[in-house]
Amino acid sequence: MSDNDNQDQLHAMRHSLAHIMATAIQQLWPASKFGVGPVIDNGFYYDVDLGDTKLSEEDFDKIEVAMSDIIKANLPFERFELPIDEAIQWAKDGGQPYKEELLNDLKRAGTTVAKDLNAEELGTIADGAAQVENVSFYRNGDFTDLCRGPHVESTGKVGAYKLMRVGGVYWRGQDSNPQMQRITGAAFASPKELRVYLDMLAEARKRDHRKLGAELDLFVFSDMVGSGLPLFTPRGTTIRDELSNFTNDMRARYGFQKVWTPHITKKDLYEKSGHWAKFGDELFLVKSQETSDEMVMKPMNCPHHTRIYESQPRSYRDLPVRYMETTTIYRDEKTGELGGLSRVRAVTQDDSHVFCRQDQIETEINNLLACAHELYETVGMKLRVRLSYRDDSDAYLGAVELWEAAQAQLKAAVIANGLDYFEEAGEAAFYGPKIDFMATDAIGREHQVATVQLDFVQPERFELAYTAEDGSKQTPVMIHCALLGSIERFMSVYIEHTAGKFPIWTAPEQVRLISVNQESVTTAFAEEMAQQARDLGLRVVVDNSNESVGKKIRDAELWKVPYTVVVGDKEIASREVIPRIRKDMAVRDDVPAIGIDEFLKTVANEARSRVLMTSL
RNA sequence: GCCGCGAUAGCUCAGUGGUAGAGCACUUCCAUGGUAAGGAAGGGGUCUUGGGUUCAAAUCCCAAUCGUGGCUCCA
């Protein structure tokens, strides 16, 4: 069997499981009204309306037992067709209003996909002109469902599955619609593959940045400060600073200059940029007691940066002008959308804006891609990019020729940098095409982390200009870029990617010194060595506490410290240490003794060169 | 914002109508130790907040806040 055949087979299994689960639910709750039950990554779900019955995970056993009976019965999936009007009657007779709505959409528009349907038409009753003659059904035992298929032959051939969770969803994703319950299951061709998937989820839970953030003392939340507003401890702040210093230094090498802009601004700025109209309800409002100005917390930096650009007349010779600012912006996100560091209301961006001529776009994009490449190589994440193009809709501003040229330039730059890429139409911003970066973490999950965006719209709205060679006024192009994206979000990804085992350069504590006893000569020696390490710019902690050596070693392990050094009489006599190296970064089992000076210099070098593995 | 679930010591959690517990952490003392937990004693909670029901509420009801699983959204 080819990979494609296997994929098709797995798809059919998952889809069949959705039907089997629906069958079980109908047996258990005969009044169930069914929505849709599609295949998703790793499994399937079915949306059901059970009236006042609220499902919980405790009901899963019951459902799984009913499902396994259906699977054991091994009844065939039988396909048949009905004319559309008979199908609608079937839904009416069966008390299935959601199916009836889908069938009406199918009759009128030939599709049930909400986003392809005109909003006013969605769910309205068709008035004749049938787009579809017949629709297909699948029947297994007593359960019949509107379905395009395909399915496996019979209910016995569905592989391994497990019900995972239940949650509230809106019918067709619109909050004006009734709420249903979505039961989601994982499903794979074999129990072994299911096991691998469940193990990955268990590993993901172990690495959850919210859990590690508390265990490793990286950040905290306070009820008095508010939701979505993380407070970073000294350890967490170290990581933030190392990351942002890295992207700042990197961009400085490419000619970016730091700017600084205030965190509040008059609302006028965002009225001009168009953000007030589009995102006004997500801006924090600030009231002045001195003036009548209506102020907002800044939700982004580009409008500010345009003000700096336009503060002087610019010649074509001055371009490109490159600004960078790592700064916090504020967005009043809906409460249900907040979570850990992944989505917060105070977002720190390593933001940059290039103002350049058309003919400079490619070089500038090139530079930013080189930065992204270097950053993600350094953190050890595989990167691929999505080229996000416009489609044929009228959702975009600017001339089509301009777009086509820009899209071609983006693609050329991506290829020139040897980046793994794919193209997708309809994913562009309204003002220009984008390059979106997806990074794969250590357990195979992909995260969107950064974007580079071309912008033709804001330069025009803000009437930005430069004087061209021929003396004419021209409008520059703006390139937005954030490499880490949101530092908070990046940290959530980074913590989970590393499982809290930070490499030397970001480790909040790089070296821990453990004294064997409390003799003053021992503790003084440890302090002296610590000072020597600090003088080399290292982050070092001395553990002179009154605990057994075994206990102190264990603590250092739990804090995931890269290097732990035990000091006692032997070290004082020889001025040599045998560093204990965190397992993930060790390259050999037995580490020989090394002079203290050489050890500390080596570690300092490793921190500077941002290596992932030790050279000891 | 919507639906579901939750909030008890610094952390992880037990207690389901009669006035609060464990492990770890913390403090002190003993032990002075050699690469993942030495021993003993002790301190610590108006049970998130505000209302209500009840003779009596951590426990039942309502609301707020925060968290969490989903949906929707993400310049």
Side-chain angles (χ1 to χ4, degrees), chain A residues 75-81 136-141 143-145 151-154:
Chain A
L75 294 172
F77 279 98
E78 298 169 282
R79 184 179 192 279
F80 64 94
E81 292 193 2
S136 61
F137 285 80
Y138 279 83
R139 176 165 49 211
N140 54 288
F143 183 78
T144 301
D145 198 0
H151 281 281
V152 294
E153 290 165 38
S154 60

Side-chain angles (χ1 to χ4, degrees), chain A residues 56 209 476 535:
Chain A
S56 73
H209 76 276
D535 290 344

Side-chain angles (χ1 to χ4, degrees), chain A residues 117-157:
Chain A
L117 290 164
N118 184 321
E120 299 100 63
E121 291 178 346
L122 199 60
T124 56
I125 303 297
D127 55 1
Q131 298 272 328
V132 174
E133 308 254 308
N134 287 316
V135 290
S136 61
F137 285 80
Y138 279 83
R139 176 165 49 211
N140 54 288
D142 297 334
F143 183 78
T144 301
D145 198 0
L146 165 68
C147 180
R148 189 186 321 162
H151 281 281
V152 294
E153 290 165 38
S154 60
T155 57
K157 305 190 172 170

Side-chain angles (χ1 to χ4, degrees), chain A residues 92-123:
Chain A
K92 275 189 184 150
D93 294 346
Q96 294 294 341
Y98 303 105
K99 296 291 182 191
E100 189 182 336
E101 182 178 325
L102 292 174
L103 284 161
N104 274 304
D105 284 339
L106 213 48
K107 176 172 177 179
R108 187 197 56 251
T111 178
T112 59
V113 179
K115 77 175 163 74
D116 293 343
L117 290 164
N118 184 321
E120 299 100 63
E121 291 178 346
L122 199 60

Side-chain angles (χ1 to χ4, degrees), chain A residues 285-297:
Chain A
L285 306 179
V286 181
K287 210 172 151 196
S288 166
Q289 300 189 61
E290 297 295 330
T291 72
S292 61
D293 290 340
E294 286 191 72
M295 315 287 282
V296 297
M297 302 295 294

